[in-house]
């Protein structure tokens, strides 16, 4: 658990840093802009943030931090849920602004002559807690505050951030804008709207009279997809984190992201959950750490853990491929096993380092191709590589073919670009494990030179063609040209061949499917997609339906086993009632339902029931029916209806 | 292929919906429970009867519960890592949560919220936190203020830990947007751990993106097949005698404490209503006509006494007055016809 917490933290820090970075450029713009603003209207910045509302908290927090540091304005952050009426809004605003004051003043109070006076005011606001500060009426508060803070040199603007513009009620918003526009001379106010949908929203929410009081500038934030791809770049495709995700799990996470919510935060939550589950359920996850630590851990393995290692399917495969005496040693002696485990772990580590760099390289190649047969984003490529052997897929074939077709000089420049990217990344992140990279590079350079030479040749031949005019020479030059063309073809071929070599070399060697070919991959890969799907993206209705329709799934009793669509009459009461209700239309007559129910139940008890006690039986069945029906009502399948006496309305339709 | 299959299924679902709602006419038989001549059971007898009925598949249900109980330690770990746990599936999850509470949480501060309880409010939940957990005396103006206070306290004091177990988070009273918002904000505090259960099929509709991210749910399927004893005991079923509308026993009780004349007045009204029961547009008895009839039967002697009498009825919710479009006051007894007939029969016997 310790390791895991560390990992979690590390990973989180990284993430926060990254998010900061990605917002920074856009944040830099806004402060500058707020500083520049001076006009009669209320300056307003509309930030178009996209639908992933949950990710915006971070943005706003860092935005207010940046503003605080750079321009000394007082910042209030308003949320729609706190501002049901204009009064609440004002109270919240005042409360937050007062608090801002206190923070600032305590830092810089030695600069002031009127410290004492201000102190009193501040201490007063300190003393009276939220209640009192909230009850302070806005009209008296606003101007006085401004005069007190105007000694901050040039008038610092007061920034009000409205986090979720869409959920504000129009009336409150309009009133607030109108009121603050009246005070704009004494109180330099800047509004920042956070908009999830589109800037059209402002005009829908505000009538012309109000929106004319605003001076709006639009700012666009990065789309969530770009966020995701950077997150993936930073998290999944580094060797920094020993923990990896399997292909299926990744697919599930991407699906949730792309088809459900676009929320990076949820993606991270899923990732976190994977980490927790991996370290919780997999006994060998102790080995999932940096290489040196992992080796230490491997030395300290207990006998039981060694047994666990032996039980791993990938390890078994490895053992089977060994010589017989080695096999025995591996299976019986712990020390031998530990040595092998260390080797294997190192192997795995090397494999990961190579994998990432080659994957990047391949991505650069394929992302230049038209139609992107292997996918546009690096995550898609990553998934295909994890899923199966890449070189066996059709897409890979077609991308190879496309690469062959595309052999023009501009491709060469593209290749060069790739190499540059690749060199920079390999120089930064890896300590050169594969000498191959350099080999590639020299090959590329050769290519370039040759291309130049060719160009020279062709140019000169062209010139020659223009010069010589008599037949003999013409024939000769044409022949030469032909020759040179052939040679040109050959050099083109070289590019091609080069590529093929490149592909085959790097792919066959390093792009192997982890699950298939790497021993001990269970230690670092988490691949239980069903677990994720169950706990993150649950489907309560399906669970209810199966439980009601087919109780055998849960209650393993032979009597409940039913074939096909029918249900056994020995099922729990609620299942029978549910089954009968499925056969009805929109309204259900309770009497008929009761009768059908009692028929089924009687048939189930038929053989041993006596006619004598039927009256009491009847009552009991009635009671059981009542229980089943009220349970169905609690579950939301039916509701009492007033349309007809003693009827209930069905709230679901069809047969589910 | 799978996608296509899914699409097929989707379109089927849509068609089924329109099929179900295509005709406004509903074909069901006209039989009613009234004609079944079966006495309505009340809550107590129902309970007794059900106790007699054996619970089927005891052993298997125990097995299921055992499986769920094995997850307890995992839940604790996940709760401490900032997730909250929500349980879904068929069957009451009350016993399971109780077991969790008694076995795992017995030494720590925890709060149990019965969401199925019809008079629970968000304010009472918050008050129990402030008063019993935080030992704070004093009142708050509104739940958001209270929430703010709680958040502040929990942020200041990192040693505070609180487990909140909610049975039926989708209960009638907690369903509202406001209460869910407040609960979500509570649950997002790192030192408050939530475990909740939901039962309603549309429970997830309560939560939007923002709330979901605050809640940070981990879903666990815990199908128990247990009977919803506590949960449905508050569910006013239409087959059980309803406490909401006037039942026969309460009707007779009230009337027995009245004077003879008052009883006569009520009888008159009841008879008149029963005579008109087949007329769907019957608006009730106009006051003037009623006064006339009462006078004729020597039950009242002035307009004023009748009005006083009617006020008393109204206080006991025995009658309802409605003003018609013509401005005339109409009188109605808000009791269904069957009960009224029974009542009149009983009265006849008594006389």
């Amino acid at each position: 658990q310790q390791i895991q917490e560390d990992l979690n933290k590390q990973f989180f820090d990284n993430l926060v840093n990254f998010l900061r970075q990605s917002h920074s450029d856009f944040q830099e713009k806004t402060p500058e802009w707020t500083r520049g603003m001076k006009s009669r209207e209320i300056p307003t910045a509309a930030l178009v943030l996209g639908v992933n509302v949950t990710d915006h908290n971070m943005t706003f927090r860092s935005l207010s931090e940046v503003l605080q540091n750079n321009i000394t304005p007082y910042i209030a952050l308003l949320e729609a849920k706190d501002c049901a009426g204009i009064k609440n809004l004002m109270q919240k605003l005042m409360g937050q602004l007062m608090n801002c004051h206190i923070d600032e003043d305590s830092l810089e109070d030695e600069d002031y002559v009127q410290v004492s006076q201000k102190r009193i005011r501040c201490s007063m606001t300190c003393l009276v807690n939220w209640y009192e500060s909230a009850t302070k009426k806005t009209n008296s508060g606003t101007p006085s505050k401004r005069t007190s803070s105007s000694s901050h040199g040039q008038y610092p603007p007061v920034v009000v951030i409205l986090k979720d513009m869409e959920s504000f009620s129009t009336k409150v918003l309009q009133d607030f804008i109108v009121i603050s526009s009246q005070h704009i001379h004494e109180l330099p106010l800047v509004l920042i709207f956070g908009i999830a949908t589109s800037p059209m929203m402002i005009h829908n929410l505000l009538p012309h009279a109000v929106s004319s009081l605003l001076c709006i500038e639009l700012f666009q934030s990065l789309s969530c997809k770009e966020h995701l791809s950077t997150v993936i770049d930073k998290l999944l495709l580094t060797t920094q984190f020993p923990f990896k995700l399997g292909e299926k799990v990744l697919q599930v996470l991407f699906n949730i992201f792309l088809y459900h919510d676009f929320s990076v935060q949820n993606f991270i939550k899923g990732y976190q959950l994977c980490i927790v589950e991996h370290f919780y359920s997999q006994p060998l996850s102790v080995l999932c750490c940096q290489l040196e630590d992992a080796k230490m851990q491997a030395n300290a393995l207990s006998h039981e853990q060694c047994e666990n290692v032996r039980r791993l399917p990938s390890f078994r495969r490895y053992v089977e491929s060994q010589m017989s005496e080695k096999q025995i040693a591996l299976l019986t002696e712990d020390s031998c096993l530990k040595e092998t485990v260390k080797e294997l772990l190192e192997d795995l580590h090397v494999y990961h380092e190579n994998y990432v760099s080659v994957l990047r390289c391949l991505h650069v190649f394929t992302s230049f191709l038209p139609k992107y047969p292997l996918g546009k984003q690096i995550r898609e490529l990553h998934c295909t590589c994890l899923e199966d052997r890449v070189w066996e897929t059709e897409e890979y074939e077609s991308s190879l073919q496309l690469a062959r077709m595309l052999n023009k000089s501009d491709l060469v420049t593209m290749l060069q670009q790739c190499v540059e990217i690749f060199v920079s990344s390999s120089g930064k992140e890896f300590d050169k494990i594969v000498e191959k990279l350099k080999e590639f590079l020299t090959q590329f350079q050769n290519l370039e030179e040759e291309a130049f030479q060719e160009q020279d040749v062709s140019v000169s031949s062209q010139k020659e063609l223009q010069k010589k005019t008599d037949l003999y020479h013409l024939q000769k030059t044409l022949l030469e040209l032909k020759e040179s063309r052939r040679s040109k073809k050959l050099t083109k071929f070289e590019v091609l061949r080069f590529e093929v070599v490149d592909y085959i070399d790097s792919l066959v060697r390093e792009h192997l499917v982890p699950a298939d070919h790497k021993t001990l991959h269970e230690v670092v890969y988490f691949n239980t997609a069903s677990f994720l799907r169950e706990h993150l993206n649950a489907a309560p209705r399906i669970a209810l339906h199966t439980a009601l329709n087919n109780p055998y799934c849960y209650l393993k009793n032979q009597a409940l086993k039913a074939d096909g669509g029918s249900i056994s009459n020995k099922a729990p009461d609620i299942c029978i009632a549910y089954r009968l209700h499925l056969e009805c239309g929109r309204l259900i007559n309770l009497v008929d339902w009761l009768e059908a129910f009692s028929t089924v139940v009687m048939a189930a008890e038929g053989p041993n029931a006596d006619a004598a006690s039927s009256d009491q039986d009847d009552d009991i069945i009635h009671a059981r029916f009542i229980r089943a029906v009220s349970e169905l009502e609690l579950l939301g399948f039916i509701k009492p209806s007033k349309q007809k006496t003693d009827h209930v309305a069905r709230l679901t339709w069809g047969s589910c | 292929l799978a996608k296509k299959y899914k699409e097929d299924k989707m379109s089927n679902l849509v068609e089924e919906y329109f099929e179900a709602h295509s005709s406004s006419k509903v074909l069901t038989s006209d039989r009613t429970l009234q004609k079944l001549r079966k006495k309505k059971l009340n809550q107590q007898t129902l309970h007794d009867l059900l106790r007699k009925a054996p619970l089927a598949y005891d052993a298997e249900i125990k097995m299921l519960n055992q499986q769920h109980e094995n997850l307890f330690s995992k839940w604790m770990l996940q709760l401490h890592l900032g997730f909250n746990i929500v349980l879904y599936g068929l069957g009451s999850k009350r016993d399971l949560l109780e077991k969790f509470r008694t076995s795992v949480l017995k030494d720590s501060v925890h709060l149990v919220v019965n969401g199925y309880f019809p008079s629970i409010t968000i304010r009472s939940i918050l008050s129990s936190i402030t008063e019993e957990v935080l030992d704070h005396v004093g009142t708050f103006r509104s739940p958001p203020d209270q929430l703010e206070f709680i958040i502040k306290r929990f942020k200041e004091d990192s040693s505070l830990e609180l487990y909140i177990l909610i049975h039926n988070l989708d209960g009638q009273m907690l369903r509202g947007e406001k209460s869910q918002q407040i609960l979500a904000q509570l649950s997002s505090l790192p030192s408050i751990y939530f475990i909740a259960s939901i039962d309603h099929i549309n429970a997830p509709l309560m939560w939007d993106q923002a709330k979901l991210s605050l809640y940070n749910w981990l879903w666990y399927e815990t199908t128990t097949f247990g009977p919803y004893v506590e949960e449905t005991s508050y569910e006013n079923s239409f087959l059980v005698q309803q406490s909401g509308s006037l039942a026969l026993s309460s009707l007779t009780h009230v009337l027995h404490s009245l004077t003879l004349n008052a009883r006569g007045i009520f009888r008159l009204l009841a008879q008149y209503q029963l005579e008109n029961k087949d007329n769907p547009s019957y608006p009730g008895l106009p006051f003037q006509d009623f006064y006339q009839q009462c006078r004729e039967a020597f039950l009242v002697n002035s307009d004023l006494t009748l009005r006083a009498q009617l006020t008393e009825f109204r206080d006991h919710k025995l009658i309802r007055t409605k003003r018609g479009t013509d401005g005339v006051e109409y009188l109605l007894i808000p009791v269904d016809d069957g009960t009224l007939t029974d009542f009149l029969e009983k009265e006849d016997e008594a006389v």
Side-chain angles (χ1 to χ4, degrees), chain A residues 278-345:
Chain A
H278 180 69
F279 283 96
Y280 184 81
S281 61
Q282 173 65 252
L284 287 170
S285 56
V286 283
L287 295 176
C288 179
C289 40
Q290 305 295 348
L291 190 59
E292 298 83 51
D293 296 337
K295 278 183 178 168
M296 299 246 289
Q297 294 279 359
N299 268 334
L301 281 183
S302 68
H303 178 68
E304 224 170 285
Q305 281 170 319
C306 290
E307 284 303 310
N308 279 333
V309 172
R310 284 180 193 126
R311 242 173 267 141
L312 289 179
S314 71
F315 191 74
R316 285 210 194 154
R317 237 176 292 134
Y318 173 75
V319 171
E320 275 157 25
S321 67
Q322 297 296 314
M323 305 294 285
S324 59
E325 56 262 38
K326 181 104 192 273
Q327 271 184 9
I328 293 164
L330 277 175
L331 290 179
T332 51
E333 286 168 43
D334 281 356
S335 59
C336 173
L337 179 91
K338 280 174 190 170
E339 285 309 309
T340 336
V341 164
K342 270 190 265 179
E343 274 167 35
L344 287 172
L345 283 175

Side-chain angles (χ1 to χ4, degrees), chain A residues 233-429:
Chain A
D233 245 24
K234 287 261 151 68
L235 287 183
L236 303 180
L237 297 178
T238 53
T239 47
Q240 229 176 325
F241 303 113
F243 174 76
K244 308 271 173 202
L245 291 180
E247 181 266 335
K248 293 222 179 78
V249 173
L250 271 179
Q251 208 75 56
V252 169
L253 282 179
F254 290 147
N255 279 349
I256 292 176
F257 180 84
L258 292 174
Y259 294 111
H260 290 255
D261 53 10
F262 289 123
S263 156
V264 178
Q265 213 171 335
N266 276 1
F267 183 83
I268 289 157
K269 177 186 162 191
Y271 189 82
Q272 238 179 318
L273 186 64
C274 290
I275 296 179
V276 174
E277 178 63 16
H278 180 69
F279 283 96
Y280 184 81
S281 61
Q282 173 65 252
L284 287 170
S285 56
V286 283
L287 295 176
C288 179
C289 40
Q290 305 295 348
L291 190 59
E292 298 83 51
D293 296 337
K295 278 183 178 168
M296 299 246 289
Q297 294 279 359
N299 268 334
L301 281 183
S302 68
H303 178 68
E304 224 170 285
Q305 281 170 319
C306 290
E307 284 303 310
N308 279 333
V309 172
R310 284 180 193 126
R311 242 173 267 141
L312 289 179
S314 71
F315 191 74
R316 285 210 194 154
R317 237 176 292 134
Y318 173 75
V319 171
E320 275 157 25
S321 67
Q322 297 296 314
M323 305 294 285
S324 59
E325 56 262 38
K326 181 104 192 273
Q327 271 184 9
I328 293 164
L330 277 175
L331 290 179
T332 51
E333 286 168 43
D334 281 356
S335 59
C336 173
L337 179 91
K338 280 174 190 170
E339 285 309 309
T340 336
V341 164
K342 270 190 265 179
E343 274 167 35
L344 287 172
L345 283 175
E346 197 165 343
D347 208 30
L348 204 62
H349 189 73
V350 171
Y351 158 76
H352 280 144
E353 293 199 337
N354 292 343
Y355 176 85
V356 173
S357 48
V358 174
L359 185 77
R360 288 238 164 94
C361 180
L362 181 66
H363 173 64
V364 168
F365 276 119
T366 53
S367 60
F368 275 125
L369 298 176
K371 285 197 187 165
Y372 315 104
L374 273 173
K376 200 174 181 180
Q377 308 279 352
I378 197 160
R379 59 160 191 270
E380 290 158 307
L381 192 65
H382 185 50
C383 275
T384 28
C385 288
L386 284 177
E387 188 185 2
D388 211 349
R389 291 172 211 227
V390 183
W391 58 95
E392 282 173 3
T393 58
E394 259 174 58
E395 289 85 10
Y396 184 76
E397 270 311 298
S398 64
S399 66
L400 266 192
Q401 254 159 23
L402 277 174
R404 275 185 203 118
M405 306 276 277
L406 265 179
N407 257 331
K408 287 179 208 152
S409 56
D410 54 306
L411 184 74
V412 176
T413 56
M414 277 178 190
L415 285 178
Q416 212 139 22
Q417 267 180 16
C418 307
V419 173
E420 269 163 34
I421 297 166
F422 194 40
V423 168
S424 68
S425 75
S426 66
K428 250 194 303 189
E429 289 177 6

Side-chain angles (χ1 to χ4, degrees), chain B residues 258-314:
Chain B
L258 292 176
T259 61
L260 209 62
N261 274 4
R263 258 186 271 173
I265 292 171
F266 190 75
R267 238 177 105 85
L268 213 64
L269 189 58
Q271 270 165 352
Y272 192 80
Q273 184 162 341
L274 281 181
E275 277 163 26
N276 285 298
K277 71 177 175 190
D278 294 329
N279 176 13
S281 59
Y282 166 70
L285 184 59
F287 178 77
Q288 277 309 322
D289 292 6
F290 190 38
Y291 175 56
Q292 209 58 46
Q293 285 183 23
C294 288
R295 253 181 97 103
E296 279 162 16
F298 294 110
L299 291 170
V300 292
N301 55 2
S302 76
D303 190 317
L304 227 59
T305 36
L306 180 60
R307 278 203 187 276
Q309 198 56 62
L310 288 182
T311 316
E312 185 162 358
F313 285 156
R314 201 178 302 139

